[in-house]
Amino acid sequence: MAVHAIGHFFQLFLMAIGLRRFGAIRALTRIDLVPAWGPRLLRILTFYVPRRRRLPENDGERLAMALANMGPAYIKLGQTLATRPDLVGRPIAEGLTTLQDRLPPFEFKKARATLEEQLGHTINELFSEFDETPVAAASIAQVHKATLKNGTKVAVKILRPDIETRFTRDLSLFEWLAGLGERHSAEARRLRLVQVVAKIRETVLCEMDLRLEAAAAAELADNMTGEPGYRLPSIEWDMTARRVMTLEWVDGIRVADQAALEKAGHDLEALGSRIVQVFLKQALRDGFFHADLHQGNLIVEPSGTVVAVDFGIMGRLTKLERRFLAEILFGFIRRDYDRVADVHFDAGYVPRSESHEEFAQAMRAIADPIMDLPVEEISAGKLLAQLFATTERFNMRTQPQLLLLQRTMVMAEGMALHLHPRSNMWQISEPVIEHWVRSNLSPEVQLADAINQLPRLIERLPSRIERWLAEEDNPAPESDLVPQHAPRSAGLLPFAFGLVVGAVLLKILAL
């Protein structure tokens, strides 16, 4: 344990040097969670380190530059913190949105060695052409353009050498710091720092097995079958392994290049609307969405079809979470703040001990000023940021499963505004949300769902009762994942009620 602590302190010292070099220590003073003595100590320890010249004035941007210079794990940490204005403050969070997931490429001989070891053949045996200069290099992997023996053009993604070791070392530091924070700070426990780091680890581990990324792309492609103007590249499964993924090469213009898109005659407003609506369909309808929607990961083909690439970061939502999300957004669109409050309390996001009326009032205070702004100034991303900022006031605990969703929604809105500055996230979102609400929350649909679920519920009844009785005899320690205000039998009551209603329905149908 002592050896690990010494190693972590050495890592912290190197981190302090990096922060000093980019003038980013000042950013820490603007984060409430950081004790006042922390930045002072860092300045004392690194007083001899010269700062770089021509640094931006924005503290968040300086912090972003420092994290990017420290390596891949710090880039992922910064991208996560950019979604947490409640944790780091809105100015810092906005500055961190400039953090780019780009690093210098690694040398070709290492890429070649990885590819040949993973696929069991030489490059010349697998490809008729292989460009040694990568077309993209990110924190996890880099991508090369190549041509198969049959003439098919492909993109070959190869993991960085020793990337697993670097991430394991840095993530162990983050976990240690999060654990220290939760042991000594009630605010850190409310913010669930350990679970936030665990979410980063989960995401990164998926990114470092390219077979999982390929499977995610295939699943998303199945979900998006038939979606007009949107598609995914096909996977070359026989040339994909844990550290190498080969997929269809896509020719087109990246969404980042607005001028080229306009010159090619594409309807930029329609493109922005399509990107937002496709994201909402993935999140609400399927509960599985592309969670890395930066402008370099979407390519527009000459036909106008948007092609998504890079599936290392994907998000999932349960059906219940999708329902809460849809109802919250629908409530804001309709300015029904009582409904927004109801959903937050029903989901367990707000403790029952808090005031329903005061929470609804807080939601109105957040939303009404934004809704009354001109179209080009309305921001769903800012509304979500303000919503998260209310968590401390109402003793709300962090929901780690929603972090990716918030980040992706902000990115989707940013892309729509990049393509068309007068884009209105609410107007774009409303038809998708209303369709989902009608299709999933109407009494008829819920009744049909209850009938369809009835046989399965009856089949599982004996095991559920047995498990419930066992829990009554041997109560388990309370989990951080369950809101502390929720009664232990809360999961059984709806289940039992559903059985009673189902029995009545069966009786009626049998008449």
Side-chain angles (χ1 to χ4, degrees):
M1 184 65 71
V3 174
H4 286 302
I6 292 172
H8 292 325
F9 279 119
F10 181 68
Q11 285 179 273
L12 285 174
F13 181 64
L14 294 178
M15 185 192 301
I17 292 175
L19 292 171
R20 175 78 176 200
R21 184 171 290 129
F22 288 89
I25 293 178
R26 189 175 67 183
L28 301 183
T29 65
R30 304 185 185 279
I31 301 175
D32 292 338
L33 198 61
V34 177
W37 55 264
R40 288 198 295 267
L41 178 61
L42 294 181
R43 287 193 178 103
I44 293 171
L45 292 175
T46 60
F47 71 93
Y48 61 90
V49 178
R51 290 201 322 182
R52 286 195 175 186
R53 297 180 179 180
R54 297 180 182 177
L55 291 169
E57 287 297 321
N58 183 283
D59 288 329
E61 291 182 21
R62 290 187 179 192
L63 183 58
M65 293 174 66
L67 294 173
N69 189 67
M70 291 177 197
Y74 293 90
I75 290 174
K76 298 301 179 188
L77 175 64
Q79 290 172 338
T80 300
L81 293 177
T83 70
R84 299 301 310 277
D86 60 318
L87 185 60
V88 299
R90 193 184 304 171
I92 299 297
E94 289 177 355
L96 287 173
T97 60
T98 64
L99 191 62
Q100 298 296 311
D101 194 7
R102 302 189 189 118
L103 287 177
F106 56 92
E107 52 188 334
F108 174 68
K109 67 178 183 180
K110 293 183 178 180
R112 179 173 188 155
T114 297
L115 186 148
E116 293 182 345
E117 185 271 329
Q118 289 285 295
L119 300 183
H121 296 278
T122 66
I123 279 186
N124 293 334
E125 291 172 335
L126 296 169
F127 305 96
S128 58
E129 295 179 19
F130 195 98
D131 191 343
E132 295 186 8
T133 303
V135 296
S139 59
I140 301 289
Q142 65 187 34
V143 178
H144 294 260
K145 185 177 181 180
T147 306
L148 300 180
K149 291 292 187 178
N150 62 9
T152 302
K153 294 188 182 301
V154 293
V156 183
K157 186 172 184 177
I158 306 172
L159 286 187
R160 287 183 173 273
D162 303 322
I163 189 67
E164 295 93 342
T165 302
R166 293 186 65 183
F167 262 103
T168 300
R169 181 194 65 213
D170 292 336
L171 286 173
S172 67
L173 171 64
F174 300 162
E175 288 168 341
W176 181 67
L177 291 173
L180 284 177
E182 289 202 1
R183 281 197 295 275
H184 299 287
S185 167
E187 178 66 2
R189 289 191 292 275
R190 184 187 70 81
L191 293 168
R192 294 183 173 183
L193 296 187
V194 170
Q195 289 191 36
V196 170
V197 175
K199 193 66 182 177
I200 297 174
R201 176 180 285 278
E202 176 188 330
T203 301
V204 167
L205 289 178
C206 288
E207 284 192 85
M208 289 191 292
D209 188 337
L210 296 181
R211 295 168 299 187
L212 295 177
E213 180 174 341
E219 181 178 350
L220 193 63
D222 287 345
N223 292 344
M224 290 287 101
T225 299
E227 181 67 31
Y230 183 91
R231 76 177 188 88
L232 287 88
S234 58
I235 305 295
E236 297 287 341
W237 284 104
D238 58 339
M239 300 185 68
T240 294
R242 187 174 67 84
R243 299 179 61 82
V244 176
M245 181 175 69
T246 306
L247 65 163
E248 170 194 356
W249 178 264
V250 179
D251 283 312
I253 304 170
R254 294 190 183 270
V255 168
D257 195 344
Q258 182 188 27
L261 290 171
E262 198 164 16
K263 185 177 179 181
H266 294 293
D267 185 336
L268 301 192
E269 183 177 5
L271 283 175
S273 297
R274 188 183 313 150
I275 290 167
V276 171
Q277 291 183 347
V278 164
F279 157 67
L280 286 171
K281 288 177 182 178
Q282 291 173 0
L284 290 176
R285 183 189 66 195
D286 307 320
F288 185 62
F289 58 93
H290 191 301
D292 197 11
L293 283 183
H294 67 70
Q295 297 170 3
N297 281 346
L298 293 176
I299 300 171
V300 182
E301 295 181 307
S303 65
T305 297
V306 177
V307 185
V309 297
D310 195 349
F311 313 98
I313 305 177
M314 307 296 290
R316 287 193 186 274
L317 296 172
T318 66
K319 188 170 184 179
L320 194 59
E321 288 164 350
R322 283 181 268 159
R323 174 185 169 182
F324 290 145
L325 170 66
E327 292 211 64
I328 288 170
L329 293 176
F330 191 68
F332 276 124
I333 288 172
R334 296 299 184 188
R335 297 195 181 196
D336 186 349
Y337 303 115
D338 283 331
R339 179 175 188 163
V340 172
D342 286 340
V343 176
H344 277 81
F345 278 85
D346 290 345
Y349 298 159
V350 182
R352 294 288 180 189
S353 57
E354 299 295 329
S355 167
H356 180 284
E357 291 75 15
E358 289 183 8
F359 186 78
Q361 183 182 15
M363 296 300 98
R364 180 183 294 276
I366 289 171
D368 267 359
I370 295 177
M371 297 298 192
D372 291 332
L373 290 174
V375 169
E376 64 270 20
E377 297 180 33
I378 296 175
S379 170
K382 288 182 180 179
L383 186 145
L384 281 177
Q386 288 180 301
L387 181 61
F388 273 70
T390 66
T391 58
E392 181 178 5
R393 176 182 170 189
F394 290 95
N395 198 30
M396 296 164 64
R397 305 190 73 189
T398 297
Q399 304 297 322
Q401 74 278 15
L402 300 181
L403 293 180
L404 275 179
L405 175 73
Q406 183 198 6
R407 171 178 179 259
T408 311
M409 184 170 288
V410 171
M411 294 175 80
E413 181 185 40
M415 236 178 303
L417 291 172
H418 164 75
L419 292 170
H420 186 70
R422 292 183 62 83
S423 294
N424 181 340
M425 185 74 164
W426 297 112
Q427 292 177 356
I428 296 171
S429 304
E430 187 169 6
V432 178
I433 294 170
E434 283 192 340
H435 180 268
W436 193 92
V437 169
R438 285 197 306 269
S439 301
N440 292 271
L441 301 183
S442 67
E444 297 85 355
V445 171
Q446 294 193 56
L447 179 61
D449 282 346
I451 294 173
N452 290 333
Q453 290 292 325
L454 186 59
R456 188 177 175 206
L457 291 175
I458 293 174
E459 180 181 341
R460 296 173 61 192
L461 178 59
S463 61
R464 290 291 294 268
I465 292 176
E466 184 177 345
R467 188 184 312 157
W468 178 62
L469 292 174
E471 289 175 356
E472 288 292 324
D473 293 335
N474 301 290
E478 196 169 48
S479 168
D480 279 344
L481 293 176
V482 180
Q484 294 186 7
H485 58 272
R488 291 180 60 247
S489 58
L492 186 67
L493 292 176
F495 176 73
F497 178 74
L499 286 178
V500 173
V501 172
V504 172
L505 288 173
L506 283 180
K507 182 71 173 176
I508 293 172
L509 293 172
L511 295 178

